[in-house]
Every structure is written in C-alpha cells, then in structure tokens.
Amino acid sequence: MLVDVLFVLGGLTALVFGGDALVRGSVAVATRAGLSPLVIGLTLVGFGTSVPELMTSLIAAFDGLPGIALGNVVGSNIANILLILGLSAVIAPVVAAAIKGPDGWVMLGVTALCVGLMLMGQVGRGAGLFCVVLLLTYLFVTLRQGGGAPVIADIAENRPLWMGFALFLVGLAGVVLGAKLLVDGASAIAAAFNVSNAVIGLTVVAAGTSLPELATSVIAARKGQGEMAVGNVIGSNIFNVLGILGITAVVHPLAVPADMLGLNLWVLLGAAVTPLVAIMAFGRISRSAGLAMVLGYAAYTALLVIRAL
C-alpha cells in the first residue's frame, strides 16, 4: 500500500512539474518561431495545461480502466469550475464577460454533449471522432474571430531555442511517467479498498491532473487577470471533453461504468451552469459565491468517498 501511495504522490509531482515544463518549453519554442501571442495563448497555454489529463486518460484506457479515463474527464471539469474558478473568485471577484459570451455557451453545450455520450453507455470511435472534429472547428472559428487569451508573463519568459526544446522534452517525459505512476498507483489503491476505479478517477486522479489549471488560474487571479482565469477554465473544460475524451475514444472505445452515471452527471451539469447563472444574475462571481463553490466541491468529494466506503 505504501508503494502505491508513493506512486500516486510521485505521479502527481511528475505531472505538475512535467506539465509546467511542457507548457513553458512549448511557449519558448513557439515564440522563437514567430507565432503570435494569440495562437500561443489559445493552443499552448489554454490547452497545454490539459496534457496531464490526456496522457492519464489514454494510459488508463489502454490499461483497461475506463472508470479512471472517464472519471478523469468528468471530475476534472467539475474541479475546474467549482474548485479552481471558485478559488479564483475567493482571491478576487470574477467579472468576466467570457462566461456569458460564446465560449461560455460552447462550454455548456460541450458539457451537455458529454452527458449525452455517457448516458449512451459507451463512447465509441465514431463519437470520439465527432468530438475531435468539433474541437478543430472550435479552434478554427476562435482563431478567425481573434479570440484566445494572452500569455501570462511568468510563462512567456524569453528563453533560448535550445532551452525551449529541452524543457519541452523533459516536460513530455515527466507527464508520461507521471500519468503512468498515477494510474498504476490509483488503480491499486482502489482495488485494496474495494473502491471503484470511477470513484478514484473522479476524485484523486481528477483533482491531481487539474493542478496545472489551478496554478495557472491562481496566478492569473492574483495578478488581477480575471479573464485569464476564466479563459483557462473554459478552454480546459472544452478540451477535456472534445480533445481528451474524443482522442481517447478514437484510440480505445470506452464503456461507461454504471457508477459514473446519476449524481456525477448532475453535478457536472450543475457546475457548468453555476458561473453562467452567477454572472447573468449578479454581474460577477463574488468571494462568497466562490467560497460556496469550493465548499460545494468539498461536499461532493466527501459524498463520493462516503458512498464508496
């Protein structure tokens, strides 16, 4: 058991530092290659923080653990909104037009699509390919319209090209190693406590792989860049469904475990609606609303654990 716990902790550590190095290295290379801040912000920073989720879900699918693969996507999206956006609002109230703009509605629609696919009982290659096509379409339209978030100064440091490549390779290796350690350790712990892989995916794995988004959003909130924090959450949630779920299903079709349904899907939908309602009703996500979101996430996680034991 101690070895499995160390695997999980080591995997999470490798994912956090590997993901950070991967994004920083990619941004350094892209900047040297002359790509615009728009392209860098939308693709490398916005979606680059989701690479840990992608590698974790792919490895879980290949290891025959669909509960971890799917729980990672659903749990990460719930954590992104209730935990990460909630904490960002606690640090500084969020007033972001992006939530009620097109991207916010796209996130809500993508969430509904995720729920629909789950209710079908299996996410096959056709559904996965459909998600990937939707993602490419979204990226194309967003770039054409000039959307996308700027790059945080701490991430966009000017580095030599060789250092950018080195960071990218080290980060990629760290993410792959971390994802493998996390999946192996988490699945072993689930077996030891007779807890389903879906519950482990929704809690430990999802929260762990969301750490890069947490770091990016907290930095943005502390710098007074509420739009950046919101954009990071929206972009990550869209990519989690269309990119991670889509790519994973194309590579390896996923059967939906029974314990993924019910409460988890309602919480997922509720989480996606919450910031939209708050912004439309009150014009912002206040500190008290953010605290309520964080407490709601804690209560949801505690309920999952209690029901599993």
Side-chain angles (χ1 to χ4, degrees):
M1 176 59 67
L2 177 60
V3 173
D4 297 326
V5 172
L6 291 177
F7 268 31
V8 170
L9 295 177
L12 291 176
T13 302
L15 283 175
V16 171
F17 287 99
D20 181 68
L22 182 67
V23 171
R24 290 177 183 273
S26 299
V27 169
V29 173
T31 302
R32 288 292 183 179
L35 296 183
S36 69
L38 167 63
V39 175
I40 295 172
L42 179 63
T43 57
L44 300 178
V45 178
F47 293 155
T49 53
S50 291
V51 172
E53 285 100 324
L54 175 59
M55 294 307 304
T56 301
S57 288
L58 281 173
I59 289 175
F62 277 117
D63 286 351
L65 302 168
I68 290 182
L70 293 170
N72 182 34
V73 171
V74 173
S76 290
N77 277 22
I78 293 172
N80 282 347
I81 296 176
L82 297 184
L83 177 61
I84 295 175
L85 189 56
L87 281 176
S88 298
V90 170
I91 294 171
V94 174
V95 182
I99 292 179
K100 61 180 180 180
D103 293 328
W105 288 103
V106 169
M107 182 187 72
L108 187 58
V110 164
T111 302
L113 172 63
C114 179
V115 171
L117 292 176
M118 296 283 188
L119 291 175
M120 292 175 63
Q122 182 176 19
V123 186
R125 286 193 171 90
L129 183 60
F130 177 69
C131 288
V132 173
V133 171
L134 284 181
L135 176 63
L136 295 176
T137 303
Y138 169 74
L139 286 173
F140 176 77
V141 172
T142 302
L143 287 172
R144 285 289 299 271
Q145 292 178 346
V151 182
I152 299 177
D154 289 351
I155 296 177
E157 295 173 353
N158 190 22
R159 291 185 172 88
L161 185 60
W162 70 266
M163 186 178 294
F165 274 118
L167 276 174
F168 174 81
L169 293 175
V170 170
L172 181 60
V175 167
V176 173
L177 174 62
K180 181 60 176 173
L181 289 175
L182 178 60
V183 170
D184 288 349
S187 59
I189 291 174
F193 285 97
N194 198 27
V195 175
S196 73
N197 287 314
V199 172
I200 292 295
L202 287 162
T203 54
V204 176
V205 175
T209 56
S210 292
L211 289 176
E213 286 91 341
L214 175 61
T216 302
S217 291
V218 167
I219 290 172
R222 291 181 62 184
K223 290 179 176 290
Q225 299 176 357
E227 289 283 352
M228 169 74 75
V230 170
N232 181 45
V233 167
I234 290 177
S236 178
N237 277 22
I238 292 172
F239 185 73
N240 282 349
V241 175
L242 299 184
I244 295 173
L245 182 60
I247 293 172
T248 303
V250 168
V251 174
H252 193 293
L254 299 166
V256 182
D259 51 356
M260 278 296 303
L261 307 176
L263 172 68
N264 302 304
L265 298 187
W266 286 112
V267 173
L268 177 63
L269 278 174
V273 171
T274 296
L276 184 63
V277 171
I279 290 293
M280 294 184 69
F282 306 107
R284 65 175 185 168
I285 303 176
S286 64
R287 284 191 171 90
S288 58
L291 180 60
M293 291 165 67
V294 174
L295 292 176
Y297 179 75
Y300 163 69
T301 303
L303 180 59
L304 284 181
V305 174
I306 292 171
R307 290 173 59 179
L309 297 178

PDB file of all heavy atoms in Angstrom, residues 86 89-90 93 284-295:
ATOM      1  N   GLY A  86     -13.786  28.723  -8.340  1.00  0.00           N
ATOM      2  CA  GLY A  86     -14.218  29.169  -7.020  1.00  0.00           C
ATOM      3  C   GLY A  86     -13.081  29.802  -6.236  1.00  0.00           C
ATOM      4  O   GLY A  86     -13.236  30.881  -5.643  1.00  0.00           O
ATOM      5  N   ALA A  89     -12.222  33.201  -7.545  1.00  0.00           N
ATOM      6  CA  ALA A  89     -13.171  34.218  -7.106  1.00  0.00           C
ATOM      7  C   ALA A  89     -12.929  34.609  -5.650  1.00  0.00           C
ATOM      8  O   ALA A  89     -13.129  35.769  -5.269  1.00  0.00           O
ATOM      9  CB  ALA A  89     -14.602  33.717  -7.280  1.00  0.00           C
ATOM     10  N   VAL A  90     -12.502  33.656  -4.826  1.00  0.00           N
ATOM     11  CA  VAL A  90     -12.181  33.966  -3.432  1.00  0.00           C
ATOM     12  C   VAL A  90     -11.000  34.933  -3.370  1.00  0.00           C
ATOM     13  O   VAL A  90     -10.973  35.863  -2.555  1.00  0.00           O
ATOM     14  CB  VAL A  90     -11.864  32.676  -2.640  1.00  0.00           C
ATOM     15  CG1 VAL A  90     -11.292  33.004  -1.266  1.00  0.00           C
ATOM     16  CG2 VAL A  90     -13.122  31.825  -2.486  1.00  0.00           C
ATOM     17  N   PRO A  93     -12.887  38.750  -6.827  1.00  0.00           N
ATOM     18  CA  PRO A  93     -14.173  38.526  -7.506  1.00  0.00           C
ATOM     19  C   PRO A  93     -14.011  38.519  -9.019  1.00  0.00           C
ATOM     20  O   PRO A  93     -13.296  39.342  -9.588  1.00  0.00           O
ATOM     21  CB  PRO A  93     -15.017  39.718  -7.044  1.00  0.00           C
ATOM     22  CG  PRO A  93     -14.459  40.070  -5.700  1.00  0.00           C
ATOM     23  CD  PRO A  93     -12.971  39.816  -5.818  1.00  0.00           C
ATOM     24  N   ARG A 284     -21.149  39.194 -11.606  1.00  0.00           N
ATOM     25  CA  ARG A 284     -19.832  38.730 -11.199  1.00  0.00           C
ATOM     26  C   ARG A 284     -19.978  37.471 -10.340  1.00  0.00           C
ATOM     27  O   ARG A 284     -21.084  37.120  -9.904  1.00  0.00           O
ATOM     28  CB  ARG A 284     -19.098  39.788 -10.391  1.00  0.00           C
ATOM     29  CG  ARG A 284     -19.749  40.102  -9.057  1.00  0.00           C
ATOM     30  CD  ARG A 284     -18.915  41.074  -8.262  1.00  0.00           C
ATOM     31  NE  ARG A 284     -19.466  41.294  -6.922  1.00  0.00           N
ATOM     32  CZ  ARG A 284     -18.825  41.919  -5.944  1.00  0.00           C
ATOM     33  NH1 ARG A 284     -17.594  42.377  -6.151  1.00  0.00           N
ATOM     34  NH2 ARG A 284     -19.379  42.081  -4.757  1.00  0.00           N
ATOM     35  N   ILE A 285     -18.829  36.796 -10.120  1.00  0.00           N
ATOM     36  CA  ILE A 285     -18.774  35.711  -9.140  1.00  0.00           C
ATOM     37  C   ILE A 285     -18.065  36.292  -7.927  1.00  0.00           C
ATOM     38  O   ILE A 285     -16.858  36.524  -7.949  1.00  0.00           O
ATOM     39  CB  ILE A 285     -18.011  34.489  -9.679  1.00  0.00           C
ATOM     40  CG1 ILE A 285     -18.655  33.987 -10.972  1.00  0.00           C
ATOM     41  CG2 ILE A 285     -18.004  33.370  -8.650  1.00  0.00           C
ATOM     42  CD1 ILE A 285     -17.903  32.835 -11.616  1.00  0.00           C
ATOM     43  N   SER A 286     -18.824  36.574  -6.870  1.00  0.00           N
ATOM     44  CA  SER A 286     -18.293  37.239  -5.690  1.00  0.00           C
ATOM     45  C   SER A 286     -17.428  36.281  -4.872  1.00  0.00           C
ATOM     46  O   SER A 286     -17.384  35.075  -5.127  1.00  0.00           O
ATOM     47  CB  SER A 286     -19.432  37.766  -4.823  1.00  0.00           C
ATOM     48  OG  SER A 286     -20.213  36.680  -4.337  1.00  0.00           O
ATOM     49  N   ARG A 287     -16.760  36.833  -3.872  1.00  0.00           N
ATOM     50  CA  ARG A 287     -15.955  35.986  -2.989  1.00  0.00           C
ATOM     51  C   ARG A 287     -16.823  34.967  -2.247  1.00  0.00           C
ATOM     52  O   ARG A 287     -16.431  33.819  -2.077  1.00  0.00           O
ATOM     53  CB  ARG A 287     -15.194  36.850  -1.983  1.00  0.00           C
ATOM     54  CG  ARG A 287     -13.984  37.572  -2.566  1.00  0.00           C
ATOM     55  CD  ARG A 287     -13.135  38.196  -1.461  1.00  0.00           C
ATOM     56  NE  ARG A 287     -11.879  38.711  -1.987  1.00  0.00           N
ATOM     57  CZ  ARG A 287     -11.718  39.955  -2.436  1.00  0.00           C
ATOM     58  NH1 ARG A 287     -12.744  40.795  -2.418  1.00  0.00           N
ATOM     59  NH2 ARG A 287     -10.546  40.347  -2.905  1.00  0.00           N
ATOM     60  N   SER A 288     -17.999  35.409  -1.808  1.00  0.00           N
ATOM     61  CA  SER A 288     -18.890  34.483  -1.096  1.00  0.00           C
ATOM     62  C   SER A 288     -19.392  33.385  -2.025  1.00  0.00           C
ATOM     63  O   SER A 288     -19.483  32.213  -1.626  1.00  0.00           O
ATOM     64  CB  SER A 288     -20.071  35.242  -0.493  1.00  0.00           C
ATOM     65  OG  SER A 288     -20.804  35.928  -1.496  1.00  0.00           O
ATOM     66  N   ALA A 289     -19.682  33.731  -3.276  1.00  0.00           N
ATOM     67  CA  ALA A 289     -20.111  32.719  -4.246  1.00  0.00           C
ATOM     68  C   ALA A 289     -18.970  31.750  -4.543  1.00  0.00           C
ATOM     69  O   ALA A 289     -19.177  30.531  -4.663  1.00  0.00           O
ATOM     70  CB  ALA A 289     -20.592  33.384  -5.532  1.00  0.00           C
ATOM     71  N   GLY A 290     -17.762  32.305  -4.654  1.00  0.00           N
ATOM     72  CA  GLY A 290     -16.600  31.449  -4.880  1.00  0.00           C
ATOM     73  C   GLY A 290     -16.385  30.487  -3.731  1.00  0.00           C
ATOM     74  O   GLY A 290     -16.093  29.301  -3.947  1.00  0.00           O
ATOM     75  N   LEU A 291     -16.540  30.983  -2.499  1.00  0.00           N
ATOM     76  CA  LEU A 291     -16.385  30.123  -1.335  1.00  0.00           C
ATOM     77  C   LEU A 291     -17.452  29.031  -1.327  1.00  0.00           C
ATOM     78  O   LEU A 291     -17.161  27.868  -0.997  1.00  0.00           O
ATOM     79  CB  LEU A 291     -16.475  30.957  -0.055  1.00  0.00           C
ATOM     80  CG  LEU A 291     -16.335  30.187   1.274  1.00  0.00           C
ATOM     81  CD1 LEU A 291     -14.986  29.489   1.339  1.00  0.00           C
ATOM     82  CD2 LEU A 291     -16.512  31.143   2.455  1.00  0.00           C
ATOM     83  N   ALA A 292     -18.685  29.391  -1.714  1.00  0.00           N
ATOM     84  CA  ALA A 292     -19.763  28.396  -1.785  1.00  0.00           C
ATOM     85  C   ALA A 292     -19.440  27.320  -2.811  1.00  0.00           C
ATOM     86  O   ALA A 292     -19.727  26.130  -2.598  1.00  0.00           O
ATOM     87  CB  ALA A 292     -21.080  29.083  -2.128  1.00  0.00           C
ATOM     88  N   MET A 293     -18.829  27.712  -3.924  1.00  0.00           N
ATOM     89  CA  MET A 293     -18.440  26.744  -4.953  1.00  0.00           C
ATOM     90  C   MET A 293     -17.382  25.779  -4.427  1.00  0.00           C
ATOM     91  O   MET A 293     -17.457  24.568  -4.651  1.00  0.00           O
ATOM     92  CB  MET A 293     -17.937  27.488  -6.193  1.00  0.00           C
ATOM     93  CG  MET A 293     -19.032  28.241  -6.932  1.00  0.00           C
ATOM     94  SD  MET A 293     -18.390  29.460  -8.137  1.00  0.00           S
ATOM     95  CE  MET A 293     -17.644  28.372  -9.353  1.00  0.00           C
ATOM     96  N   VAL A 294     -16.391  26.314  -3.712  1.00  0.00           N
ATOM     97  CA  VAL A 294     -15.332  25.468  -3.153  1.00  0.00           C
ATOM     98  C   VAL A 294     -15.908  24.502  -2.121  1.00  0.00           C
ATOM     99  O   VAL A 294     -15.572  23.310  -2.115  1.00  0.00           O
ATOM    100  CB  VAL A 294     -14.225  26.334  -2.517  1.00  0.00           C
ATOM    101  CG1 VAL A 294     -13.202  25.454  -1.797  1.00  0.00           C
ATOM    102  CG2 VAL A 294     -13.530  27.173  -3.588  1.00  0.00           C
ATOM    103  N   LEU A 295     -16.779  25.005  -1.262  1.00  0.00           N
ATOM    104  CA  LEU A 295     -17.406  24.146  -0.256  1.00  0.00           C
ATOM    105  C   LEU A 295     -18.291  23.092  -0.922  1.00  0.00           C
ATOM    106  O   LEU A 295     -18.372  21.946  -0.453  1.00  0.00           O
ATOM    107  CB  LEU A 295     -18.231  24.985   0.722  1.00  0.00           C
ATOM    108  CG  LEU A 295     -17.427  25.915   1.638  1.00  0.00           C
ATOM    109  CD1 LEU A 295     -18.355  26.771   2.494  1.00  0.00           C
ATOM    110  CD2 LEU A 295     -16.472  25.111   2.521  1.00  0.00           C
TER     111      LEU A 295
END
